[in-house]
Amino acid sequence: MQIFHISRSGQKSDITDLLIRTTWSGDIKEVARKLEVSVAVNTNDPYFPKLYMDLGEMLVLFDDTGKELWRGYIFAKSKSLTGTETAYTAYDGLIYLTKSKISKNFKSMTAEQITKLLCTEFGVPTGQLAATNKPQSFVHHAKTVYEAIMTGYTLASHSTNRKYMPRMREGKLDVVLLGGQVAKRILTAETDLLESTYDESIDAMVNRVLIVNDKGGLEKIVEQELWRKNYGLLQDVYQREQGKDANQEARSKLYGMDRCVSVQVLGGKDAYDLVAGNAVQMIEHVTGLTGLFYIENDAHSFENGTHTLNLRLNFESVMDTYEPEAQGV
């Protein structure tokens, strides 16, 4: 692992030897991948390397072969008067799309066309955008660029039954299929699993949905009967909307059991693709956790020459969805 700093003037510096600890992390809900570094400083030693990194300047992370893994921009730094290190936090280019708001009326545009339009407007190069070929129209008022992109892909997902996620690659925005890339490594207790825990929860379960009209009158009940019998009645309400399939919308509100796995993994040269949005195979006989899992979040930690990972895995891929405030306008 190597990290370079690129100043506003374009000067490139290898800061790897000055790093005390590094964490590279991502989450399917937080979107922009984050790099946190602690850099050694010594103001009392005139021979100690002096490093100045300003907010807005770039950091670039490379793997052990020199392949670029990530690039981003410093958004925060912290240093105390007597401290021996300075902490920096940087995010990839998606951070600008999550913090910039727009007001637009999209008419008969596919999600990929919306993404291309907005990225051009905000100066973000695009790479491979998942094709949906599903034109749609909706109003997007005073919400972020990221939410507009994901609203387009959420609407498309209703028809394609696929789940999408944006991510940055070498400075370009891709939109990929969740779980479309499977990590090279297979996780096993014999080789690299340091710890694993399995959690089940019905906190978010919805097993019955009432479809009502605009006056609140009941029209239909949609439910998962077995869930209701096993876990008790957990009910939501859907009010019929013009231009939408009420049955489909109600069924989309049904939600089952959350089942997640948290694992700690030994890192290495083949572990850099264990990132949020990808899938991974795991074989763990003690807890019976064997099969294909979807990575919800990841944190790669580098300290004292050791690379470890903490992963949260899900049995199903979960998309960060956004519904429009108005359609067909």
Side-chain angles (χ1 to χ4, degrees), residues 22-263:
T22 300
T23 301
W24 179 51
S25 60
D27 190 298
I28 59 172
K29 297 289 186 181
E30 295 179 3
V31 193
R33 289 192 65 80
K34 178 168 62 174
L35 183 70
E36 298 168 283
V37 297
S38 293
V39 180
V41 295
N42 189 339
T43 56
N44 298 320
D45 185 349
Y47 299 103
F48 197 86
K50 300 294 188 296
L51 177 66
Y52 180 76
M53 301 195 299
D54 198 7
L55 299 179
E57 293 186 331
M58 185 181 290
L59 296 177
V60 186
L61 172 68
F62 296 90
D63 70 9
D64 303 287
T65 66
K67 178 184 176 182
E68 181 180 319
L69 294 172
W70 176 94
R71 69 174 71 173
Y73 305 89
I74 300 170
F75 262 64
K77 62 180 179 179
S78 176
K79 182 184 182 301
S80 68
L81 177 64
T82 58
T84 58
E85 59 186 76
T86 301
Y88 297 87
T89 301
Y91 299 91
D92 68 26
L94 260 167
I95 193 68
Y96 293 101
L97 302 186
T98 65
K99 290 185 174 294
S100 300
K101 294 185 177 182
I102 57 170
S103 286
K104 286 186 180 292
N105 186 350
F106 299 104
K107 296 183 178 181
S108 299
M109 297 181 68
T110 64
E112 52 271 35
Q113 288 172 335
I114 291 170
T115 303
K116 187 75 172 178
L117 172 71
L118 293 175
C119 285
T120 299
E121 183 175 325
F122 282 83
V124 177
T126 54
Q128 300 171 3
L129 303 178
T132 66
N133 302 313
K134 300 289 182 182
Q136 54 215 243
S137 301
F138 63 91
V139 173
H140 191 80
H141 176 61
K143 296 180 182 179
T144 67
V145 176
Y146 167 74
E147 289 173 309
I149 291 171
M150 290 311 296
T151 297
Y153 274 102
T154 297
L155 292 174
S157 180
H158 295 330
S159 300
T160 65
N161 293 317
R162 293 183 170 185
K163 298 175 182 178
Y164 306 91
M165 175 185 175
R167 60 166 45 147
M168 299 299 295
R169 175 180 54 86
E170 297 182 358
K172 295 182 179 180
L173 177 70
D174 291 342
V175 177
V176 301
L177 296 178
L178 275 169
Q181 180 179 342
V182 179
K184 295 184 290 291
R185 184 187 289 192
I186 298 176
L187 304 182
T188 69
E190 292 76 19
T191 56
D192 44 28
L193 276 176
L194 303 175
E195 182 60 279
S196 67
T197 58
Y198 173 50
D199 301 313
E200 292 181 330
S201 171
I202 59 171
D203 279 344
M205 177 175 282
V206 175
N207 52 40
R208 175 186 283 179
V209 179
L210 306 182
I211 301 175
V212 300
N213 57 32
D214 58 358
K215 299 186 186 302
L218 178 64
E219 294 187 350
K220 188 177 181 180
I221 296 175
V222 174
E223 70 174 355
Q224 281 281 0
E225 186 177 358
L226 183 60
W227 295 353
R228 178 178 57 78
K229 288 181 178 179
N230 287 344
Y231 308 113
L233 178 61
L234 296 162
Q235 181 173 286
D236 200 351
V237 177
Y238 172 72
Q239 182 174 311
R240 183 181 292 277
E241 298 172 273
Q242 186 176 359
K244 292 188 177 182
D245 184 329
N247 193 62
Q248 180 179 324
E249 294 297 324
R251 288 201 169 278
S252 71
K253 286 180 170 289
L254 294 171
Y255 190 85
M257 179 187 297
D258 281 317
R259 298 186 301 163
C260 292
V261 183
S262 297
V263 298

